Amino acid sequence: MLHPDPFRDIDRLTEQLLGTSAGSARAPRFMPMDLYRSGDHYVLHADLPGVDPGSVDVSVDGGILTVKAQRSERTEHDVQWLTSERFTGSYLRQLALGQDIDADHIAATYENGVLTVTLPVAERAKPRRIEITPGAREEAKVIEPSDSPDQTTTT
């Protein structure tokens, strides 16, 4: 009696779409991420499960934040793969930073397969209150048309 194998159908479809076969290394498609603002900084969380922390690189160049990472190829040899869905290879994600980011103070951590990048808001972009100072009231000068240019009226 034959039992249908849904994984075989998925592998066949994957092979048709990606041009790879089960058990071969496939390049990662994307790096899922969340980005939000919290107070005076932005926070980016990127999922990089199984990535060696030493391969993660975060850089800023010309207002572009680049995140690179590498998941090593599998080391299992002489095995018969039944399904292979975990990607290996390089991850790359780039984000354009606005003028509101303090690029000199960006920080990053990597823990439990999640990269966290903290992007502080630049001082010039932070909301601020403008203090109003009482000033001396200036005298308004009203010049009335006359025959003599030396005549002015001050109020």
Side-chain angles (χ1 to χ4, degrees), residues 70-87:
Q70 177 76 31
R71 182 191 261 176
S72 302
E73 291 189 30
R74 296 177 188 89
T75 58
E76 300 86 358
H77 298 288
D78 300 326
V79 296
Q80 179 183 1
W81 288 97
L82 301 175
T83 188
S84 176
E85 298 176 351
R86 297 174 60 220
F87 293 111

Side-chain angles (χ1 to χ4, degrees), residues 8 13 15 23 31 40 42 44 51 57-58 69 75 80 87 106 117 129 141 144 147 150:
R8 186 177 61 204
L13 180 62
E15 195 172 320
M31 179 189 312
D40 62 352
Y42 292 92
L44 177 144
V51 170
D57 179 55
V58 179
T75 58
Q80 179 183 1
F87 293 111
I106 294 174
V117 181
R129 185 172 178 270
K141 293 183 178 180
E144 296 181 12
D147 294 336
D150 294 338

Side-chain angles (χ1 to χ4, degrees), residues 65-139:
L65 175 74
T66 302
V67 178
K68 295 179 188 177
Q70 177 76 31
R71 182 191 261 176
S72 302
E73 291 189 30
R74 296 177 188 89
T75 58
E76 300 86 358
H77 298 288
D78 300 326
V79 296
Q80 179 183 1
W81 288 97
L82 301 175
T83 188
S84 176
E85 298 176 351
R86 297 174 60 220
F87 293 111
T88 60
S90 297
Y91 290 86
L92 174 69
R93 191 82 186 249
Q94 293 185 310
L95 299 164
L97 301 178
Q99 298 294 327
D100 297 348
I101 301 297
D102 182 358
D104 294 333
H105 294 97
I106 294 174
T109 60
Y110 182 71
E111 185 177 354
N112 296 326
V114 178
L115 174 68
T116 300
V117 181
T118 304
L119 306 145
V121 174
E123 284 298 321
R124 67 182 172 274
K126 291 180 183 177
R128 61 185 175 273
R129 185 172 178 270
I130 307 299
E131 181 142 353
I132 301 170
T133 57
R137 186 171 168 227
E138 293 184 28
E139 291 184 11

Side-chain angles (χ1 to χ4, degrees), residues 5-24 26 81-86:
D5 182 3
F7 293 110
R8 186 177 61 204
D9 294 334
I10 291 172
D11 286 340
R12 191 175 323 130
L13 180 62
T14 300
E15 195 172 320
Q16 290 171 351
L17 293 174
L18 301 178
T20 60
S21 60
S24 67
R26 293 186 308 261
W81 288 97
L82 301 175
T83 188
S84 176
E85 298 176 351
R86 297 174 60 220

Side-chain angles (χ1 to χ4, degrees), residues 31-42:
M31 179 189 312
M33 66 172 225
D34 294 331
L35 178 64
Y36 59 89
R37 183 169 178 168
S38 177
D40 62 352
H41 60 277
Y42 292 92

